Amino acid sequence: QKEVEQNSGPLSVPEGAIASLNCTYSDRGSQSFFWYRQYSGKSPELIMFIYSNGDKEDGRFTAQLNKASQYVSLLIRDSQPSDSATYLCAVNKGRAGRRALTFGSGTRLQVQP
Amino acid sequence: DVKVTQSSRYLVKRTGEKVFLECVQDMDHENMFWYRQDPGLGLRLIYFSYDVKMKEKGDIPEGYSVSREKKERFSLILESASTNQTSMYLCASSSGGLLSSYNSPLHFGNGTRLTVT
């Protein structure tokens, strides 16, 4: 079992729709969760992070965390063609002394005009 | 803005060569990281460092070593390059040291695409 799992996609949504991206993780001790966006040929860039159960909103983006189900998701409202990218879920497993993130392999999102 | 600079965008090396990938950050960050990214495998952690001269192995350290002599610079060394080390290498940094908050995001460099022939 991978430590961080994402559906590779592609997830295809029409412009203006809500895109829902999902991520599960295996380590119950995980403490914080990050979503990165990566355009083709570019480096990952941070969208947002969450560490408490529930929802966290930032503009068109909402991160949702359910630690009991070991599940984190990212909702993108009013999807735009410019949102077409690969979305990476990353988890800080929180072991003492380890400040490195473990990444999923990413979900490719395509927003159709 | 945080700037993480990787010295080369593209590199082509021969099997058996010793290869140095350099990374410099300008934000006085304590933590620095080396990942490699391969299709279908995502980003995998090779090594990281939370202080000068300190290093820790990540998930795939075999065939690699690192050096951190100055806070701003973190070098990845391929002792004897092999074809299975052909990959995109990403350097990243984040604030905070060993006892810092877990919420510090990573800031990535532009990546070095290494081809070993």
Side-chain angles (χ1 to χ4, degrees):
Chain A
Q1 182 191 7
K2 288 185 180 178
E3 294 185 66
V4 181
E5 298 228 39
Q6 296 180 256
N7 189 316
S8 61
L11 172 66
S12 185
V13 300
E15 184 173 355
I18 295 176
S20 178
L21 302 157
N22 304 317
C23 173
T24 58
Y25 60 95
S26 61
D27 189 335
R28 284 196 173 274
S30 299
Q31 297 198 0
S32 51
F33 308 86
F34 298 76
W35 283 101
Y36 284 81
R37 177 177 62 198
Q38 186 175 27
Y39 292 111
S40 181
K42 301 292 187 182
S43 298
E45 52 183 353
L46 180 71
I47 299 174
M48 61 192 305
F49 69 85
I50 186 169
Y51 54 88
S52 298
N53 274 329
D55 295 0
K56 180 181 179 182
E57 189 174 314
D58 184 359
R60 295 188 296 114
F61 298 98
T62 299
Q64 299 175 316
L65 175 61
N66 184 326
K67 287 187 176 181
S69 299
Q70 295 176 244
Y71 178 94
V72 58
S73 64
L74 180 71
L75 302 178
I76 306 174
R77 288 182 300 282
D78 188 25
S79 295
Q80 302 298 309
S82 58
D83 294 325
S84 298
T86 297
Y87 289 79
L88 303 171
C89 172
V91 173
N92 188 314
K93 296 195 291 182
R95 280 207 311 269
R98 172 146 173 162
R99 288 299 180 279
L101 299 185
T102 300
F103 285 81
S105 54
T107 298
R108 191 157 60 95
L109 172 66
Q110 294 176 340
V111 181
Q112 306 295 337
Chain B
D1 248 6
V2 178
K3 195 163 172 75
V4 180
T5 303
Q6 294 184 232
S7 54
S8 303
R9 186 79 175 102
Y10 298 95
L11 269 181
V12 180
K13 296 291 181 181
R14 291 192 179 274
T15 301
E17 278 193 78
K18 191 169 186 175
V19 181
F20 294 85
L21 303 183
E22 307 287 346
C23 176
V24 177
Q25 51 93 4
D26 66 358
M27 283 301 293
D28 203 35
H29 281 172
E30 288 82 358
N31 304 319
M32 296 189 74
F33 308 84
W34 277 106
Y35 288 87
R36 64 179 280 179
Q37 186 172 27
D38 301 287
L41 297 177
L43 278 82
R44 292 180 291 165
L45 180 67
I46 305 171
Y47 267 98
F48 67 105
S49 168
Y50 52 84
D51 202 352
V52 175
K53 296 193 185 294
M54 305 299 288
K55 61 185 179 183
E56 284 203 32
K57 293 180 180 178
D59 298 315
I60 51 163
E62 297 78 19
Y64 303 95
S65 62
V66 291
S67 172
R68 192 161 181 208
E69 296 296 321
K70 292 186 178 181
K71 190 175 185 179
E72 67 271 18
R73 186 179 297 268
F74 192 36
S75 302
L76 179 70
I77 304 154
L78 286 64
E79 298 290 344
S80 176
S82 64
T83 54
N84 63 12
Q85 293 178 309
T86 292
S87 186
M88 171 65 83
Y89 289 88
L90 289 164
C91 176
S93 71
S94 70
S95 61
L98 186 58
L99 301 178
S100 71
S101 157
Y102 290 95
N103 296 334
S104 299
L106 298 186
H107 301 269
F108 285 90
N110 287 335
T112 295
R113 184 164 293 283
L114 172 67
T115 301
V116 182
T117 60

